Amino acid sequence: VSKTYSITTPIYYVNDVPHLGHTYTTVACDVMARFKRLDGFDVYFLTGTDEHGQKVKQSADKLGITPQALTDKVSQNFRDLAHDINASNDDFIRTTEDRHEVACQTLWKKLVQSGDIYLGKHAGWYAVRDEAYYNDDELRDVDGKKIAPSGAECTWMEEENYMFRLSAWGDRLLKYYDDHPDFIQPEARRNEVISFVKSGLRDLSVSRTIFDWGVPVPDAPKHVMYVWIDALTNYITALGYPDINAEKFKKFWPADLHMVGKDIIRFHTVYWPAFLMSAGLLPPKRVFAHGWWTVEGVKMSKSLGNVLSPYDLMKTYTLDGMRYALLGLFPFGNDGDFSAELAKQKINNHLANGLGNLAQRTLSFVAKNAGAAVPSIGTLNADDQKLLKAAQTDMLVAVRDALDHQKYDRAFETIFAVVNDANIYIDTQAPWTLKKNNQPDRMNTVLYVLCETLRCLGLILQPFVPDTAGKLLDQLAVDKSVRDFGYLCGQYALKPGTPLPEPVGIFPRLMDDNAAQK
Ligand code: MSP
């Protein structure tokens, strides 16, 4: 059996235009998906849109269109975004698809069969915006209104609801966390979830009668399912649930990684595993909660008008520049800030000056002085061997380990340390001096070591900055069929004498006016 890897983004609400936050989660998943594919895994990468709920209904009403028409339009924006940021997703799921209704209703029936769903009465303060009930002690009184911690206004609501017996799942969840120490990452989030569960779980209201834009509850025509049961089920719908014997389901469930923002960790690490276990299915192997972005130190919000559009970012920084900045500005898992100044600085330092210059200096020198072909190779000295070992052997091992822990920043550190070493190497070996001193053999060897180092860098950078890496590999005449990580080793090093194309810049330096972000 081949190794498999399945990864998901949250499905995005259709009440928003795609912004920096959505782009972040998708790019982080895309890097994982691409890395694993290149590393020999059979990968399944899923993203999509979350289209039900009262908010969507209300927005559609305001526009005088049907909710379906609204979601068709907005969902397409997210589909386009995935394409435009070079996401390599294998499927794009929409919760308004027929396949999803079947999956949700089947899962529901399983929960009923397990005795975990019962009909109850629910009364409480309800926030339409959050689609959630709040306890009295969570609310603030503002001008006679009840305001939730999220800032949403609540109204008193009484419904007959189906309830999920979450209160009975506490011990089993705690045992699952205990048996699977990596299930919730990072560690701080894991501790938060564990203490939340330890403090006691209440039963969860899982149907609504106050609106009808949702998946109908089987045999209860007045009820639609609570949006989170509906939304979470997307992950298995896409794999063909309820057909659990299908190839796809067997191969890719349980998911290796649900990537989510820290705001939705509870749904993914408490509710979702409880639903799954109740239905006789395995929980996902890992849920990683990343942090939230601010923009120039300020929370992103529509009312402040500082919501960053991925399209503006791509214009300013190029697509690969944006992909790099998203994962390179601060450690994944932390909250962080998007500062235009810092983004430009980092992109220029690493991609334009570090990598771009290394490639430019090496390849144009080779074009002029080594016959526009991969240079010949002589005896390797200790410096040569050291750089080659770092590039051909150690780099992949370290980056693989970093990504297995979603430590993108550590992956970049490893890669750009090699770039840095190679820049020091070219300066100390000084091929231009070797040329002047008429030492062509040594000059060629040095150039060879540099070209081969660039090949390794091009290969390892593919998941992160696919266009830039592709350009670099093209210039080294590395055939598309030999670009996976099986080739990232000395055995497949460049062959001396291979003709090389005319060198072109691989990453432009961002200029001041160019990077001025408003
Ligand atoms: N529809 C639910 C998810 C259901 S998954 C079964 C949802 N959608 S969302 O569109 O509101 O958010 C999707 C993701 O974008 C979340 O993981 C959220 O954390 C992320 N982000 C939204 N704004 C963000 C920032 N400012 N910064 C980082 N990520 C942010 O929640």
Side-chain angles (χ1 to χ4, degrees):
V1 231
S2 72
K3 306 176 284 181
T4 61
Y5 188 81
S6 54
I7 181 165
T8 66
T9 74
I11 47 172
Y12 301 112
Y13 285 133
V14 289
N15 55 3
D16 215 347
V17 290
H19 59 59
L20 173 75
H22 311 119
T23 311
Y24 183 47
T25 319
T26 303
V27 168
C29 289
D30 185 54
V31 170
M32 287 304 304
R34 286 175 182 270
F35 189 92
K36 290 288 179 184
R37 276 190 211 104
L38 290 164
D39 212 17
F41 288 73
D42 190 351
V43 169
Y44 185 80
F45 168 22
L46 178 69
T47 186
T49 43
D50 185 355
E51 308 187 7
H52 287 131
Q54 194 174 10
K55 271 181 290 186
V56 174
K57 175 77 171 77
Q58 287 176 342
S59 311
D61 287 350
K62 252 187 238 154
L63 294 165
I65 56 176
T66 63
Q68 189 64 56
L70 175 70
T71 61
D72 286 349
K73 185 165 151 270
V74 185
S75 177
Q76 187 61 41
N77 296 339
F78 283 95
R79 200 186 283 264
D80 292 345
L81 176 75
H83 171 267
D84 298 341
I85 62 179
N86 230 339
S88 60
N89 52 301
D90 297 286
D91 197 355
F92 185 98
I93 187 158
R94 303 184 52 189
T95 56
T96 50
E97 291 173 64
D98 290 344
R99 58 173 173 161
H100 184 61
E101 183 163 312
V102 175
C104 288
Q105 293 183 334
T106 310
L107 184 79
W108 181 280
K109 287 183 200 155
K110 293 274 180 206
L111 304 185
V112 173
Q113 277 164 22
S114 309
D116 276 323
I117 283 186
Y118 64 94
L119 192 61
K121 259 234 158 41
H122 194 93
W125 292 103
Y126 184 76
V128 174
R129 205 181 86 189
D130 304 342
E131 314 218 9
Y133 280 100
Y134 288 95
N135 300 330
D136 216 12
D137 59 10
E138 291 178 287
L139 302 175
R140 286 176 295 133
D141 284 298
V142 180
D143 304 332
K145 290 176 186 160
K146 292 281 188 186
I147 305 296
S150 63
E153 187 181 338
C154 299
T155 46
W156 185 257
M157 193 86 83
E158 285 181 24
E159 279 185 284
E160 190 172 63
N161 283 152
Y162 287 97
M163 304 292 290
F164 178 80
R165 228 177 278 284
L166 190 62
S167 60
W169 280 91
D171 291 342
R172 282 174 283 184
L173 286 168
L174 289 170
K175 176 158 187 343
Y176 187 80
Y177 306 151
D178 215 45
D179 293 344
H180 303 86
D182 291 338
F183 173 54
I184 306 169
Q185 292 290 316
E187 202 57 25
R189 299 282 165 223
R190 171 181 152 85
N191 296 335
E192 265 170 43
V193 171
I194 290 178
S195 59
F196 171 73
V197 174
K198 278 192 176 153
S199 73
L201 296 172
R202 294 189 213 193
D203 288 355
L204 184 70
S205 148
V206 286
S207 77
R208 299 284 183 265
T209 54
I210 48 178
F211 62 90
D212 62 2
W213 180 240
V215 177
V217 170
D219 311 316
K222 282 204 316 242
H223 294 255
V224 294
M225 289 181 201
Y226 170 49
V227 279
W228 274 99
I229 278 215
D230 168 346
L232 290 160
T233 303
N234 92 84
Y235 299 130
I236 54 176
T237 302
L239 296 176
Y241 187 79
D243 187 0
I244 57 174
N245 293 314
E247 189 61 19
K248 207 152 104 181
F249 196 90
K250 284 200 299 204
K251 236 160 108 179
F252 295 116
W253 193 262
D256 289 277
L257 179 59
H258 288 331
M259 188 78 87
V260 302
K262 64 178 184 179
D263 52 319
I264 54 176
I265 184 117
R266 213 177 264 183
F267 300 102
H268 284 83
T269 58
V270 181
Y271 300 180
W272 184 223
F275 297 157
L276 286 165
M277 290 194 272
S278 173
L281 297 171
L282 289 170
K285 293 185 203 156
R286 179 178 299 172
V287 177
F288 191 107
H290 64 64
W292 270 53
W293 286 90
T294 51
V295 174
E296 311 293 347
V298 181
K299 193 178 159 187
M300 224 172 35
S301 86
K302 273 189 219 165
S303 51
L304 289 173
N306 66 344
V307 175
L308 284 185
S309 147
Y311 292 97
D312 290 343
L313 294 174
M314 284 188 268
K315 235 183 265 161
T316 309
Y317 303 103
T318 74
L319 169 55
D320 279 352
M322 176 184 78
R323 288 175 63 108
Y324 174 68
L326 287 179
L327 297 172
L329 287 192
F330 59 87
F332 200 68
N334 295 5
D335 290 332
D337 185 47
F338 197 97
S339 135
E341 190 49 42
L342 188 66
K344 189 189 74 185
Q345 207 182 351
K346 277 233 170 180
I347 294 168
N348 275 342
N349 280 350
H350 285 164
L351 292 178
N353 300 346
L355 181 73
N357 277 354
L358 176 67
Q360 182 65 25
R361 290 161 88 193
T362 305
L363 293 169
S364 54
F365 200 84
V366 167
K368 283 196 207 104
N369 304 297
V374 174
S376 59
I377 179 171
T379 318
L380 297 175
N381 70 22
D383 286 342
D384 307 339
Q385 281 168 355
K386 192 166 157 229
L387 184 58
L388 284 176
K389 178 169 177 301
Q392 293 174 327
T393 312
D394 300 345
M395 185 167 66
L396 176 61
V397 176
V399 173
R400 182 187 287 135
D401 182 68
L403 284 193
D404 276 338
H405 298 89
Q406 282 73 55
K407 295 206 179 293
Y408 301 89
D409 53 306
R410 209 174 75 200
F412 283 137
E413 245 171 59
T414 303
I415 297 170
F416 287 100
V418 175
V419 171
N420 200 37
D421 288 348
N423 271 318
I424 293 173
Y425 175 91
I426 195 173
D427 288 337
T428 32
Q429 302 297 326
W432 41 88
T433 311
L434 295 169
K435 178 180 178 257
K436 225 174 22 209
N437 296 350
N438 204 17
Q439 294 174 273
D441 289 350
R442 181 64 199 150
M443 177 192 81
N444 281 328
T445 302
V446 165
L447 293 173
Y448 179 88
V449 169
L450 286 163
C451 287
E452 171 59 11
T453 301
L454 282 169
R455 181 186 75 96
C456 297
L457 288 166
L459 292 177
I460 199 101
L461 280 165
Q462 292 175 100
F464 305 93
V465 284
D467 292 343
T468 306
K471 266 192 216 161
L472 180 55
L473 293 171
D474 287 347
Q475 293 197 51
L476 291 162
V478 177
D479 194 80
K480 291 217 165 47
S481 63
V482 291
R483 291 185 180 184
D484 71 49
F485 294 158
Y487 296 95
L488 215 178
C489 56
Q491 194 187 339
Y492 297 98
L494 291 170
K495 294 248 172 329
T498 311
L500 296 176
E502 174 101 8
V504 289
I506 58 163
F507 196 91
R509 199 182 146 72
L510 304 170
M511 294 306 170
D512 277 343
D513 50 343
N514 194 13
Q517 268 284 302
K518 284 278 135 45

